[in-house]
Amino acid sequence: MIRTRLSLRRPLVVAGTTLVGLATVFALSAPAVATDPTPTASPAGAGPTATPTGPTCVSTADARYKHKFDGRAGTASIELLNGPLCAGQEQPLALVSYVAPSAKFAMPQYLFDSSVKSFSAPKEGELAVTRLEFAVTVPACFTQVDFVFGDKLIDPLTDSSDRYGDRKVGSPKGIGSQSKGRQAWYNGGQESCVAAPEVEALSDCDGTVTLKLINRKGNAAATFVVTGSAGFSRTVSVPIKGIEEVELDAQSAREITVTADGKQVYQGKWTKPQDCQEPEVGQPDTGYAITCTELTFTITNPENGISLTSTFTPSTGKAQTVTVEPGRTTKVTFPGSAGLTVTVTGDLASEKPVAWEKPANCAGGGAGGGDGDLPLTGAAAGGIAAAAGVLLVVGGVLYLMARRRRVRFTA
């Protein structure tokens, strides 16, 4: 039997064709998987992820508002529409009322009341404030009310002062145009504004008087003129709801008159308060000494004494005037000479001249001399003795009485 020889070419061709076909199928299927636009399924319960579509804060320059305003009632409100403001940003606003000379715009105007608040960036963990409310008192007379951006208030409003201009909320341009609503300024009222001046006087134990000039109830500034004794005069302007003080010393407070806008509102003088504590006045220590060559007077004024001024006039030579303050000791010396006498006048006074007489022990060349006491007599002694109990006067009055005290110098 003859067997036919098999050839390997055909099986190899078939196998190769099969492999090429499989490779082609795999290559065609792979791009389809990579470019499949169908989204994969989300896990059960998962929602869509939010994507920001704009800024999370706004600058003051880009902020936009809407507002309400009632000038007659003195109220206003404003709402930030596209906030909150970014970190470091702040926008203050103010509602202000003025007293004015007319129901229409006129000057000068004086600040009567104000309210200032601000929008600002919220702190971490806090909610942003997007609405502000304002309220002020409106005077019961001619007035102007303004709602403005910023916290710089103008007082007074005059022909030469700054103006709010485009800062007014609701202005057609400038920062005021960032808010939508009616024009936020008002002029009105039905009568002129007037001051209500008052005076309160407070006397002190030292003789001074303090005047309180009050315009608490007025709706216009008040001009006070204060006059006192010894030529004292002062003019003081007190603003609306204001209080000013004027102090008069003891010399000026003996007679006081106060006028306001040409009318007298007070007349009086210093009166001693009931709770004054009388000070103790120390007695000065006075005396003189005679040596072979000199006549010397010594005045020692204690710490609780009063100022003492006296003049020492010799029979020959130049007079000496001295002032001895409390806590000080002063000596007045004259060269001894035959017939020398010294007369003392002033706060300390001698009832008769003090004579220098050469001591008997001067012949031997020694210093010699003697001392004399200078007791207080007359008004001086009476005044200081009374001070040990209850003084009749204090302060400046005490000083004047002291100047009338007299001291008798005895040899």
Side-chain angles (χ1 to χ4, degrees):
M1 175 183 247
I2 299 172
R3 295 178 179 267
T4 303
R5 195 179 197 119
L6 295 176
S7 174
L8 293 175
R9 178 179 296 177
R10 186 174 180 178
L12 290 174
V13 171
V14 173
T17 302
T18 301
L19 291 174
V20 171
L22 291 173
T24 301
V25 172
F26 179 80
L28 291 175
S29 63
V33 174
T35 58
D36 186 0
T38 304
T40 57
S42 300
T49 301
T51 301
T53 59
T56 58
C57 65
V58 66
S59 67
T60 54
D62 295 326
R64 294 296 179 266
Y65 310 86
K66 67 177 181 180
H67 66 274
K68 295 181 179 180
F69 174 76
D70 187 341
R72 187 186 300 273
T75 61
S77 64
I78 189 166
E79 184 177 352
L80 176 59
L81 302 177
N82 59 340
L85 296 181
C86 295
Q89 299 279 302
E90 183 177 15
Q91 180 58 69
L93 294 104
L95 182 65
V96 290
S97 62
Y98 290 87
V99 292
S102 171
K104 297 181 180 180
F105 178 75
M107 291 182 289
Q109 299 181 15
Y110 298 92
L111 185 67
F112 189 79
D113 196 13
S114 64
S115 176
V116 179
K117 298 181 181 180
S118 298
F119 289 110
S120 58
K123 296 180 180 179
E124 185 176 355
E126 294 182 354
L127 296 176
V129 175
T130 58
R131 182 180 176 83
L132 299 176
E133 301 279 348
F134 299 81
V136 295
T137 302
V138 178
C141 60
F142 297 139
T143 185
Q144 176 170 306
V145 182
D146 295 323
F147 189 30
V148 299
F149 281 93
D151 54 6
K152 181 182 178 182
L153 307 184
I154 304 172
D155 184 35
L157 274 169
T158 65
D159 290 330
S160 59
S161 70
D162 290 339
R163 303 290 180 84
Y164 290 118
D166 293 337
R167 288 176 53 193
K168 292 182 179 180
V169 176
S171 295
K173 60 181 180 178
I175 189 174
S177 65
Q178 291 181 219
S179 184
K180 300 303 179 183
R182 61 176 295 187
Q183 294 180 339
W185 54 91
Y186 165 80
N187 294 92
Q190 297 181 347
E191 60 183 19
S192 297
C193 303
V194 295
E198 303 175 56
V199 178
E200 293 181 3
L202 177 64
S203 295
D204 203 347
C205 294
D206 62 0
T208 62
V209 173
T210 299
L211 298 178
K212 284 188 175 181
L213 310 179
I214 304 169
N215 190 24
R216 188 182 297 114
K217 300 177 182 178
N219 50 27
T223 299
F224 292 81
V225 178
V226 181
T227 57
S229 50
F232 181 93
S233 180
R234 185 173 300 174
T235 301
V236 181
S237 179
V238 181
I240 301 165
K241 299 182 180 180
I243 298 177
E244 299 289 341
E245 291 189 355
V246 174
E247 183 173 308
L248 292 83
D249 60 22
Q251 187 176 11
S252 303
R254 294 194 296 268
E255 294 292 338
I256 305 171
T257 301
V258 182
T259 61
D261 300 323
K263 297 181 180 180
Q264 182 174 300
V265 292
Y266 174 82
Q267 186 171 25
K269 60 183 179 180
W270 178 85
T271 55
K272 181 181 177 181
Q274 295 181 353
D275 58 349
C276 288
Q277 295 183 354
E278 306 292 354
E280 292 186 5
V281 178
Q283 178 176 332
D285 183 15
T286 62
Y288 67 90
I290 295 176
T291 69
C292 296
T293 58
E294 295 177 334
L295 171 60
T296 300
F297 297 88
T298 302
I299 304 99
T300 299
N301 202 355
E303 293 287 348
N304 62 340
I306 57 174
S307 179
L308 302 170
T309 299
S310 290
T311 299
F312 296 75
T313 306
S315 55
T316 58
K318 188 177 181 179
Q320 299 183 48
T321 299
V322 296
T323 297
V324 187
E325 299 296 340
R328 304 295 298 272
T329 296
T330 298
K331 292 186 176 184
V332 181
T333 300
F334 296 91
S337 62
L340 172 67
T341 61
V342 177
T343 301
V344 184
T345 57
D347 295 337
L348 299 172
S350 60
E351 293 182 348
K352 62 180 181 179
V354 177
W356 177 86
E357 296 180 358
K358 188 174 182 178
N361 58 355
C362 291
D371 296 330
D373 292 329
L374 306 177
L376 291 174
T377 62
I384 294 178
V390 178
L391 298 178
L392 297 178
V393 292
V394 295
V397 179
L398 183 61
Y399 175 80
L400 293 176
M401 286 191 65
R403 297 188 67 87
R404 293 194 297 270
R405 295 174 180 166
R406 302 179 64 82
V407 178
R408 183 183 64 191
F409 294 82
T410 58

